[in-house]
Amino acid sequence: MTSVDPAAPPSGPATLPLSEAKARIIDAAAALFAEHGVGGTSLQMIADAIGVTKAAVYHQFKTKDEIVIAAAQAELDRLTAAIEAAEAIMYADGGAGRAREVLVTRIVALAVERRRMESTLTGDPVLVRYFASHAPFRAIMERLYRILAGEDGGPEARTRAAMLTAAIGGAVMHPLVADLDDDVLRAHLLHLARRFLDLPE
Amino acid sequence: MTSVDPAAPPSGPATLPLSEAKARIIDAAAALFAEHGVGGTSLQMIADAIGVTKAAVYHQFKTKDEIVIAAAQAELDRLTAAIEAAEAIMYADGGAGRAREVLVTRIVALAVERRRMESTLTGDPVLVRYFASHAPFRAIMERLYRILAGEDGGPEARTRAAMLTAAIGGAVMHPLVADLDDDVLRAHLLHLARRFLDLPE
DNA sequence: GTCTATACGCGGATAGAC
DNA sequence: GTCTATCCGCGTATAGAC
């Protein structure tokens, strides 16, 4: 039915490992971002957290944005892994339905697992702008939507995909479900997401 | 079926009108926020836009956050109006189903209408923190969720309400539907939202 | 390759004159 | 209500020590 993609399914091996100094910085930065938000975290705070000066941090990353992006990249890699798992099924034979099932399950799990950080990742203007404009991210999103919406890139399919990803990402950080255990939240989220996609229960 | 609420349905008449100077400031600020984001808009930019100094702006609003909040308040008032319309139906006799229908229709319309500003409103950390902590906003959200989730405040109902509001708010600013006309987007959004709530087509 | 010292400009914020 | 003047912290940036 669906003709094979001209290009082989991409299998990008995530990102290159970081230097020691860089790794320490993004570790500290990620923790601070989650607590104070990106805008509320200064280079000074990051430097203090690992016991160096601002300039030392600046030497590793030329701008604050670079730190933010590097910290987000690790999360993006996990999403990429989920997409590739779903693509593997789709390109093999599992069919679009099964691929969607796997993708949604993993995205829900990811979102719940990261529910405290999620607001930092999806809510920050710096990241939004960066991700919206940078090609690699757009390519990943393209693959994600292709699985969710199928070859049919019609308005309704695209709207549905947009709603679903927004629903999952936005719901986990919603005050209304703040008191739910991770397991409970994940179960309901998954159930409703599958229903939204007309996947069999 | 549902017993009447002990308290009469609240009918808060939005917000008090602003002074001339204040109104000019938030008008200019709202335009700049939509274009550059909250974080990318400085007091200097706002001051320049209306031809005064930073200090003059400061005289009207003690902090930048106050400006952001005032600019957001107008949008919030529109949401409140939608909620009150739905509540009126519910408290009269229309029933929860009809109330939900009205509420979802109006929220979808609002979100689409504001799709360019939506990211500023829901995405900014300042607003998120403010709205999450401030009582009046929480009260409004409480009313919204009560209509969507019903008296049943169970985990699934709450998860569903959280997903729906996140889906609508997040979908309108999604790159995937950026090229859709307002009318088309609104129609699909409404259709899918109603389906998600099990409302009759 | 990693850090310290130091500086510049901008943005948020305040005090007090007109 | 608006201004001038001023303060402080932060992001940015460079030079150079280890």
Side-chain angles (χ1 to χ4, degrees), chain A residues 36-37 123-125 129 138 145 155-156 158-163 165-167 170-171 174-177 179-180 184-185 188-189 191-193 195-196 198, chain B residues 36-37 123-125 129 138 145 155-156 158-163 165-167 170-171 174-177 179-180 184-185 188-189 191-193 195-196 198:
Chain A
H36 304 104
D124 191 81
R129 222 163 308 175
R138 292 190 68 86
Y145 300 140
E156 170 159 347
R158 300 216 310 276
T159 304
R160 188 186 299 220
M163 285 180 76
T165 54
H174 215 289
L176 199 61
V177 298
D179 62 326
L180 298 186
V184 175
L185 176 60
H188 289 301
L189 218 46
H191 171 248
L192 291 167
R195 217 181 60 99
F196 188 69
D198 292 320
Chain B
H36 304 104
D124 190 81
R129 222 164 309 175
R138 293 190 68 86
Y145 300 141
E156 171 158 348
R158 300 215 311 276
T159 304
R160 189 184 299 218
M163 285 180 76
T165 54
H174 214 289
L176 198 60
V177 298
D179 62 327
L180 297 185
V184 174
L185 176 60
H188 289 302
L189 218 46
H191 170 248
L192 291 166
R195 217 182 59 98
F196 188 70
D198 292 320

Side-chain angles (χ1 to χ4, degrees), chain A residues 24-151:
Chain A
R24 261 178 307 168
I25 289 171
I26 65 162
D27 280 356
L32 288 167
F33 289 160
E35 188 176 349
H36 304 104
V38 173
T41 302
S42 69
L43 289 187
Q44 191 65 64
M45 291 164 72
I46 298 172
D48 289 349
I50 56 181
V52 297
T53 63
K54 267 198 306 182
V57 173
Y58 189 76
H59 182 261
Q60 302 295 335
F61 297 95
K62 270 180 278 297
T63 72
K64 183 184 177 183
D65 288 4
E66 277 188 25
I67 300 176
V68 176
I69 289 163
Q73 186 63 47
E75 302 301 320
L76 191 58
D77 286 346
R78 310 188 66 183
L79 175 61
T80 305
I83 291 173
E84 284 173 356
E87 280 176 343
I89 290 170
M90 202 161 74
Y91 283 120
D93 74 321
R98 179 72 190 136
R100 269 171 222 179
E101 204 170 294
V102 167
L103 182 58
V104 170
T105 303
R106 291 190 56 162
I107 287 179
V108 166
L110 261 178
V112 171
E113 194 181 333
R114 300 275 151 181
R115 61 197 281 197
R116 290 289 165 223
M117 276 206 69
E118 190 75 19
S119 64
T120 301
L121 298 179
T122 63
D124 191 81
V126 174
L127 285 179
V128 170
R129 222 163 308 175
Y130 172 74
F131 282 143
S133 67
H134 232 55
F137 172 75
R138 292 190 68 86
I140 288 175
M141 283 300 143
E142 191 61 37
R143 288 158 68 187
L144 189 153
Y145 300 140
R146 217 180 180 75
I147 300 170
L148 287 183
E151 300 299 320

